[in-house]
Amino acid sequence: MEVNKERKNIGLAMLLIFSSLLVCLDRIFWQSNPDILINDKVNLQQSLLQIYHAATLIGVDIFAITLGFLLQGNEDKSWSSAIKYWIYTIFVGTLGLLVLTLFSREFSIVDLYNMLFPFIRNTYGILSGIVLGALTLPLFNKEIRKCTKIIKLSLLLVIIAPTIFNKDIFGFANGTSTVFGYTLVNLGFYGNYIKSKLNVKKVVTRIILLLLTNIVVISLMPEFSKAVHNDLSTAGRFTNSASALLILLAFYIILLVSKIKVNIKISYINFITYTAWALLVISNNQTLLNKLIEYNRKTAQNVTGCILAKDVKEILWLTLIVILSNFVILGFCKLIGITQKISDFYDIKADEELSQFFYRIIDGIKSWLKAHRVYLATIVWGYFLSIFSFLMMNTKWIVAPNVDVKYNIFTYTIGVRQAMILVNTIIFLLFLKFIFSLTNRYWFSTIVASLLWIIWVVANRIKIGIRNEPILPSELSMIKAWRSLLGMVDGWILLLVVAVIAITIPIIYFLEKKYRLPRQKWYSRVAWLIIIPVIFSSVTFLNHEKSVIHIISGGIGNDPTFYNQLAGAQKNGPTQQFLNNIDVEVMKKPSGYSKERMQQLKDKYKKVAADINKNRVNDFKDQVVIFNLSESFSDPNRVPGIQLSNDPIPYIRQLKQKTTSGTMISAGYGGGTANMEYMSLTGLDLSNFSPTLPTPYTQLVTHRKYNPNIARSFPEAVAIHPYQGVYYSRTEVYKRFGFDRFYYLGSKYKIKYKKKIDRSPYLSDETAYKNALDQVKQANNGEFINLVTMQNHFPYDRNYYNNSDKYTPIGEGIDDYTRNVVQDFSTGLSYTDTAVKDFISEIDKLDKPVTLVFYGDHLPGIYGGVDMTKYGIQLHSTDYFIYSNKYAREHGARKLVSKTEYVGPNDFIALMAKQTNSKVNAYQALLTEVQEKLPVATLNTQKSTVNSYNTHTEFVDNNGKIVKYKSLSKKQKQLWEDYKLLQYDITSGKNYWKNN
């Protein structure tokens, strides 16, 4: 703490540094629970370790009591010191969290709350107690003159009673609580008050007696504990900071040091004290401490080695960092004058009563609030606008962010999404500040920023009413067609906007004239005009998995929800959701990409297509092809540790033996349906995209006019999804893909058959196939049908089906939850099995060629007990088969047997063309080469995220084994590069293949 000019004793300041280092050593080493402390042996080593432990634990006692010494006698500085150090605590804690985020790449909003609100979150118990003591020091000084003996006895009772009775009577929590810190700092006040009454000889004598007593008691306690309790449960009774023996030893050590005076500048003492305080802040920061302990664990477990080497190294580095940081922090505080301002405001005057001081503080706070009322009102207004923007993203009073979980929109927005409301408030205030820095007109800036925000929110609301999604960055190009856009807006809305603008102009003029606020200095304006764009530019890294802005925004609660942009706007607000979609790099440009190179590839694969087509007799225009994505369809018996009492898919298992079939490697686990659908329809691989494009449907397809896919090879294309069409922007995606009709719940093309099973909220697979069969029967020529089922969608813990115990999983480590969800999921599979059997029976009766490509998109996320890093392939393996009906087989369709055991969803176009014996173009010829000559490419199978970031491409051979890229042959590597060039040209490049 800061001290006055008369106090120049460096001894106590250095004692603070020494004690803070002891605290660091205690926190870093002993909280690692070294083996010596948890075994049941009583020997000399155990006793020595107990003594050594106590020698570090005393650091807390010395620190708190010493600060009490330094504060006592400076009553007029105590309040300002308390405020300064509390602000400093918040600053150091937050800075430490930022550094931790940079190095660990982990962030949590809970940790941020702990740093910003340390008292109410009880982040630093000891430090909170010291600050409270500083606040009550004037009262202590006043009362000690009247009741010295009572205060002395009270302190002794509070300190000694818990040790005597071995009960935490006053909530000391072994020396970590606020009460303990408050008690020790008051003991320091008392020590400073009586120090002149004790001579050095008495102090030294008591130190020696207490030191010897501590050594004897601490070393013998393991023996006593073993003798009385037959274990070491009470071995550490005196080995904790709250032990009266350690506290009294620390007290007399400080008394002795206080009598040794060495003069030094007051600024040096203050700097040393700040450094010691910062070390205590960091060592009591559990988030940072846990990370240090993690690094130190190996050393801590090997006590017999060099016991202090790594710990001391870490503490020295920590001290160096704190010292350097203090130069910056304290220099900055001095530059802006914050220290002097706090001192002027909170210092108690020499002739001022305590009650007068409190009244002065209250009056000062009132004056400050009055002086800043306009700015505070603006912050509240920004908060209101933030809430308004969230609420406007809802079309109903109820929002359902999760299946079967519904919230009132007010409860969800203000309660669940509070952190994101604050983020949007900050965005609005930064936007306002930028305009203010440009114009230097406060009222103009506030009103214009508010109007633009409201117009932005209303524009998003209008688009949601039309398209069920908010405004996205790619649509800003549509501003060029502003006349057309305005024509889509109701006339009364435009009139209202004009009226509001007309009204606000005179209001702004009046406020700027009548209530003009202070202008900003030119250097402040320039600084903000630089700082704010830099802050907003960070969104260009928002979707980079390892970037700081991505980690922090995710920790705060930002959930982009790319698969459902409307839900993203409801969760994050339209502004943050817009920013989430800015950082989208579709794909890195492959080396050698050029018009000439793409023309060479086009010519090359035209020849490949010609060779393939020599032996093909059919055309897509004469085929009926169904791509059936069966939601979560996967064989539970394939999962390690799972074996079902009965087979839920006997028909499909038998069918797979008779036709083209095998295992599909999914790029998702527990989700990612639209990604598998995208790969199957386009033949493009998700792993080639950049990490900022986890969901191509919503981030890519909806923004591009050129989207080649298999549906365009047929005279007619139909999509069927017996659920809502808004998810993954399917209504827009299918239009961009060239589908003629999309059947979903609520569409103008009605889902004709609707049936649910037992208590399931989803339409059954039987329903899906009946609706698909209608389309097959109506097809006059060739037709492509994309059928996406919903029956087996999560959740699986709602007991949807009757008699699910028929499929009880057997295996080690299966708990009640796993048993129940696997049973319910498997029962759903059995209904799918029956529905597939009936559907195939029906298409076999038709006199037209029909081919069904059936595949599961991913496993359900119910196998949490299975190690993803060990069984990644199994947890990303679903079932697929390709079946051609009797008529198709009689007209050229054939069963495939070569290299089809393991495939990716991007292989289905080539496999279907091969099985139907259909001719291909150059694009499909390249896909055929990829399917036949390359192993399956997928995302990292060791990751379990639903829409996994594309960290790298992983290859799986036809034996289900991971192979490295460098093990591929030269021809295979060239083929892979050709494939990437094509994918880049289609999705990010100049579309040189567009006319092919």
Side-chain angles (χ1 to χ4, degrees):
M1 291 291 182
E2 290 186 6
V3 294
N4 64 18
K5 293 184 179 180
E6 283 74 35
R7 190 176 301 281
K8 299 180 181 180
N9 186 347
I10 193 177
L12 291 177
M14 296 307 295
L15 197 58
L16 279 179
I17 285 290
F18 174 73
S19 62
S20 64
L21 292 174
L22 285 180
V23 174
C24 291
L25 182 60
D26 170 68
R27 298 291 192 266
I28 292 174
F29 184 81
W30 298 104
Q31 288 195 23
S32 300
N33 294 321
D35 290 338
I36 192 69
L37 295 183
I38 59 176
N39 64 25
D40 205 30
K41 296 179 180 179
V42 176
N43 51 31
L44 179 61
Q45 189 181 33
Q46 176 72 247
S47 296
L48 292 175
L49 260 294
Q50 292 286 351
I51 294 171
Y52 172 55
H53 193 187
T56 62
L57 287 169
I58 200 174
V60 169
D61 304 330
I62 294 175
F63 184 89
I65 298 172
T66 302
L67 281 175
F69 260 78
L70 291 174
L71 277 170
Q72 173 64 300
N74 295 274
E75 182 176 347
D76 58 335
K77 295 284 185 181
S78 62
W79 268 67
S80 63
S81 294
I83 300 302
K84 290 174 192 175
Y85 270 76
W86 200 239
I87 293 173
Y88 187 70
T89 300
I90 294 172
F91 193 94
V92 170
T94 306
L95 182 63
L97 181 63
L98 177 60
V99 172
L100 178 65
T101 301
L102 289 171
F103 284 95
S104 68
R105 292 296 192 254
E106 295 176 356
F107 180 80
S108 169
I109 187 65
V110 173
D111 294 332
L112 181 61
Y113 289 152
N114 290 341
M115 302 305 112
L116 296 177
F117 310 103
F119 186 78
I120 60 176
R121 304 282 299 184
N122 195 28
T123 308
Y124 313 103
I126 292 290
L127 301 184
S128 298
I130 294 172
V131 170
L132 288 175
L135 295 176
T136 59
L137 175 58
L139 180 62
F140 180 93
N141 283 342
K142 186 175 182 180
E143 296 301 323
I144 197 170
R145 298 184 186 97
K146 303 176 184 178
C147 316
T148 304
K149 291 184 178 180
I150 294 176
I151 290 178
K152 175 183 177 181
L153 292 173
S154 298
L155 285 171
L156 284 174
L157 175 65
V158 170
I159 291 167
I160 296 174
T163 303
I164 293 175
F165 298 105
N166 195 26
K167 296 290 183 182
D168 193 7
I169 304 171
F170 304 108
F172 285 174
N174 288 329
T176 60
S177 69
T178 301
V179 175
F180 186 68
Y182 183 78
T183 302
L184 290 188
V185 80
N186 276 273
L187 183 61
F189 299 158
Y190 176 77
N192 193 309
Y193 184 77
I194 64 153
K195 66 179 182 180
S196 60
K197 300 178 182 179
L198 293 174
N199 58 43
V200 174
K201 183 177 180 181
K202 287 183 179 180
V203 172
V204 171
T205 301
R206 294 177 185 181
I207 289 174
I208 294 173
L209 288 174
L210 284 167
L211 182 61
L212 293 175
T213 304
N214 269 292
I215 292 173
V216 171
V217 171
I218 290 171
S219 61
L220 291 180
M221 274 309 298
E223 294 280 357
F224 293 150
S225 179
K226 190 72 173 179
V228 176
H229 303 285
N230 198 32
D231 57 30
L232 296 181
S233 58
T234 59
R237 178 175 175 180
F238 296 97
T239 313
N240 72 81
S241 299
S243 165
L245 294 174
L246 282 182
I247 294 172
L248 291 173
L249 177 60
F251 177 76
Y252 284 107
I253 288 173
I254 295 162
L255 276 176
L256 179 63
V257 173
S258 69
K259 294 179 179 295
I260 305 171
K261 297 186 180 295
V262 177
N263 291 336
I264 193 171
K265 287 184 178 181
I266 190 67
S267 58
Y268 294 161
I269 293 179
N270 288 335
F271 183 83
I272 292 171
T273 311
Y274 272 105
T275 301
W277 184 272
L279 285 170
L280 260 291
V281 170
I282 295 174
S283 62
N284 282 275
N285 182 326
Q286 200 61 46
T287 302
L288 181 57
L289 187 62
N290 288 339
K291 199 66 179 177
L292 291 172
I293 289 173
E294 179 183 335
Y295 293 146
N296 189 58
R297 191 172 300 279
K298 292 182 180 179
T299 302
Q301 296 299 330
N302 186 17
V303 181
T304 57
C306 188
I307 191 169
L308 291 178
K310 197 168 188 296
D311 300 281
V312 170
K313 181 180 179 181
E314 290 175 359
I315 293 171
L316 290 176
W317 273 110
L318 182 61
T319 305
L320 178 62
I321 292 169
V322 168
I323 291 173
L324 294 175
S325 300
N326 273 347
F327 274 113
V328 177
I329 297 169
L330 298 178
F332 176 76
C333 291
K334 186 174 182 180
L335 180 66
I336 64 177
I338 187 172
T339 302
Q340 190 59 46
K341 290 177 183 177
I342 294 174
S343 295
D344 294 343
F345 192 76
Y346 288 103
D347 284 350
I348 300 175
K349 309 304 179 184
D351 58 347
E352 188 176 32
E353 292 290 333
L354 194 59
S355 59
Q356 293 176 322
F357 170 74
F358 281 116
Y359 282 123
R360 180 164 60 86
I361 295 298
I362 293 172
D363 290 339
I365 293 173
K366 288 181 179 178
S367 299
W368 186 87
L369 292 175
K370 184 177 180 180
H372 297 84
R373 64 187 183 278
V374 173
Y375 305 112
L376 294 173
T378 303
I379 294 173
V380 174
W381 172 243
Y383 181 75
F384 169 79
L385 287 178
S386 178
I387 293 176
F388 166 75
S389 70
F390 275 71
L391 296 177
M392 286 291 287
M393 297 303 99
N394 297 275
T395 57
K396 299 177 182 179
W397 294 108
I398 298 296
V399 62
N402 300 303
V403 176
D404 284 357
V405 178
K406 296 182 179 180
Y407 295 89
N408 175 281
I409 60 172
F410 295 99
T411 303
Y412 181 71
T413 300
I414 300 174
V416 179
R417 304 304 294 171
Q418 182 62 223
M420 291 310 300
I421 289 177
L422 295 175
V423 169
N424 279 261
T425 303
I426 293 172
I427 292 173
F428 169 77
L429 294 174
L430 286 174
F431 178 55
L432 188 159
K433 185 68 175 179
F434 185 79
I435 299 176
F436 184 32
S437 299
L438 279 175
T439 64
N440 220 5
R441 299 290 189 276
Y442 184 81
W443 295 111
F444 172 84
S445 304
T446 302
I447 294 175
V448 168
S450 301
L451 283 177
L452 292 175
W453 184 275
I454 293 170
I455 291 171
W456 164 253
V457 173
V458 171
N460 274 272
R461 182 64 179 80
I462 291 172
K463 192 195 172 190
I464 287 172
I466 298 171
R467 295 260 303 271
N468 281 315
E469 68 177 12
I471 297 172
L472 301 175
S474 60
E475 294 164 335
L476 292 182
S477 61
M478 297 174 66
I479 293 176
K480 298 176 183 178
W482 61 270
R483 290 186 179 89
S484 176
L485 290 174
L486 290 178
M488 300 177 187
V489 181
D490 291 339
W492 68 269
I493 295 178
L494 297 177
L495 288 174
L496 179 62
V497 171
V498 173
V500 170
I501 293 174
I503 292 172
T504 55
I505 291 175
I507 293 175
I508 293 172
Y509 180 80
F510 171 77
L511 292 172
E512 290 290 350
K513 284 288 185 182
K514 185 74 173 178
Y515 301 102
R516 178 173 294 181
L517 295 175
R519 303 289 181 86
Q520 296 182 96
K521 302 294 185 181
W522 69 266
Y523 50 82
S524 175
R525 295 175 63 189
V526 171
W528 280 110
L529 288 174
I530 295 173
I531 292 171
I532 294 174
V534 169
I535 293 173
F536 280 113
S537 68
S538 65
V539 301
T540 57
F541 298 93
L542 195 57
N543 293 326
H544 287 61
E545 187 179 13
K546 295 184 179 180
S547 70
V548 175
I549 184 65
H550 171 80
I551 294 162
I552 292 177
S553 69
I556 290 173
N558 180 28
D559 181 6
T561 319
F562 292 121
Y563 61 88
N564 188 341
Q565 294 287 353
L566 176 58
Q570 292 167 345
K571 290 180 178 181
N572 311 306
T575 306
Q576 182 60 53
Q577 188 63 11
F578 181 88
L579 297 177
N580 287 337
N581 284 278
I582 286 178
D583 176 28
V584 177
E585 179 190 36
V586 176
M587 185 177 171
K588 293 187 181 299
K589 185 177 180 180
S591 60
Y593 177 75
S594 66
K595 184 176 182 179
E596 293 73 20
R597 176 63 176 142
M598 295 312 298
Q599 184 61 48
Q600 292 173 2
L601 289 183
K602 185 187 296 187
D603 295 339
K604 174 181 178 180
Y605 288 100
K606 278 184 178 179
K607 293 179 181 178
V608 174
D611 290 338
I612 291 173
N613 293 338
K614 288 178 182 178
N615 300 315
R616 303 279 177 93
V617 297
N618 291 327
D619 292 304
F620 289 131
K621 66 181 180 64
D622 301 318
Q623 304 290 317
V624 176
V625 172
I626 307 164
F627 271 29
N628 174 203
L629 184 155
S630 183
E631 174 62 40
S632 297
F633 189 94
S634 55
D635 185 1
N637 285 304
R638 188 186 294 112
V639 178
I642 300 291
Q643 184 178 354
L644 300 182
S645 54
N646 287 286
D647 187 1
I649 53 171
Y651 176 77
I652 292 177
R653 195 180 304 281
Q654 183 183 25
L655 181 66
K656 287 179 68 175
Q657 303 300 316
K658 299 178 180 179
T659 188
T660 307
S661 65
T663 301
M664 188 199 84
I665 301 297
S666 173
Y669 171 79
T673 298
N675 290 345
M676 304 309 107
E677 188 180 348
Y678 174 83
M679 292 172 68
S680 69
L681 294 177
T682 63
L684 304 179
D685 193 87
L686 196 67
S687 68
N688 282 331
F689 289 129
S690 75
T692 62
L693 192 89
T695 313
Y697 260 21
T698 56
Q699 295 178 281
L700 175 65
V701 178
T702 55
H703 313 316
R704 296 185 66 84
K705 294 180 180 179
Y706 178 56
N707 290 289
N709 65 94
I710 188 58
R712 295 187 181 276
S713 296
F714 292 78
E716 186 177 46
V718 173
I720 303 171
H721 181 43
Y723 196 59
Q724 300 171 21
V726 65
Y727 287 98
Y728 298 105
S729 300
R730 280 193 176 95
T731 52
E732 181 65 19
V733 166
Y734 290 148
K735 287 180 184 178
R736 301 272 179 165
F737 274 174
F739 281 80
D740 299 286
R741 297 184 300 280
F742 178 24
Y743 294 81
Y744 62 93
L745 295 179
S747 68
K748 65 178 180 179
Y749 304 109
K750 303 299 181 184
I751 296 290
K752 182 176 178 182
Y753 303 99
K754 297 179 181 179
K755 179 183 176 182
K756 299 177 181 178
I757 303 172
D758 298 335
R759 292 164 298 283
S760 174
Y762 305 120
L763 294 183
S764 68
D765 283 358
E766 178 187 352
T767 288
Y769 290 125
K770 283 187 176 181
N771 284 282
L773 188 61
D774 270 2
Q775 296 302 312
V776 173
K777 290 179 178 179
Q778 293 171 17
N780 294 321
N781 297 304
E783 183 178 58
F784 180 80
I785 300 173
N786 188 55
L787 174 63
V788 180
T789 69
M790 196 66 186
Q791 174 189 288
N792 296 320
H793 199 278
F794 84 95
Y796 309 103
D797 58 354
R798 301 292 198 270
N799 190 27
Y800 284 155
Y801 304 117
N802 299 327
N803 303 318
S804 61
D805 56 353
K806 180 179 179 181
Y807 304 105
T808 301
I810 303 169
E812 294 183 4
I814 297 176
D815 55 21
D816 290 340
Y817 174 80
T818 303
R819 183 179 298 104
N820 291 334
V821 294
V822 171
Q823 284 180 172
D824 220 47
F825 170 68
S826 300
T827 305
L829 295 182
S830 70
Y831 285 111
T832 299
D833 191 66
T834 301
V836 169
K837 180 179 180 180
D838 294 340
F839 182 61
I840 287 181
S841 176
E842 290 296 322
I843 63 174
D844 267 339
K845 299 175 184 177
L846 300 178
D847 291 331
K848 59 179 66 177
V850 181
T851 295
L852 171 66
V853 178
F854 174 99
Y855 65 99
D857 54 342
H858 55 75
L859 273 75
I862 58 178
Y863 306 111
V866 182
D867 187 353
M868 183 74 69
T869 60
K870 185 177 181 180
Y871 299 109
I873 294 295
Q874 290 91 328
L875 292 177
H876 287 81
S877 296
T878 68
D879 297 85
Y880 91 93
F881 67 80
I882 303 176
Y883 178 82
S884 296
N885 71 345
K886 182 179 178 181
Y887 186 92
R889 295 196 302 272
E890 291 172 348
H891 291 79
R894 54 193 177 180
K895 173 186 174 182
L896 307 178
V897 293
S898 176
K899 292 187 177 181
T900 62
E901 176 55 34
Y902 284 89
V903 304
N906 54 311
D907 291 324
F908 289 140
I909 293 175
L911 290 170
M912 177 274 296
K914 192 185 300 185
Q915 175 147 327
T916 58
N917 209 4
S918 297
K919 297 177 181 179
V920 296
N921 57 29
Y923 175 27
Q924 293 156 353
L926 174 53
L927 297 183
T928 302
E929 291 281 281
V930 169
Q931 186 275 315
E932 291 181 345
K933 298 178 180 179
L934 284 176
V936 178
T938 187
L939 300 181
N940 186 355
T941 56
Q942 277 70 53
K943 294 186 70 175
S944 61
T945 49
V946 171
N947 290 315
S948 181
Y949 283 88
N950 313 343
T951 54
H952 67 272
T953 301
E954 187 172 273
F955 294 96
V956 181
D957 64 17
N958 207 45
N959 296 314
K961 303 296 183 182
I962 296 175
V963 294
K964 295 182 179 180
Y965 177 78
K966 64 181 181 181
S967 68
L968 300 181
S969 68
K970 184 177 181 180
K971 289 184 178 180
Q972 286 179 313
K973 290 178 180 177
Q974 184 58 58
L975 176 58
W976 181 247
E977 293 305 312
D978 291 351
Y979 181 52
K980 285 169 56 176
L981 283 166
L982 171 67
Q983 184 162 338
Y984 179 80
D985 182 67
I986 289 173
T987 60
S988 305
K990 301 295 185 179
N991 300 154
Y992 296 126
W993 274 46
K994 187 173 182 179
N995 297 324
N996 187 276

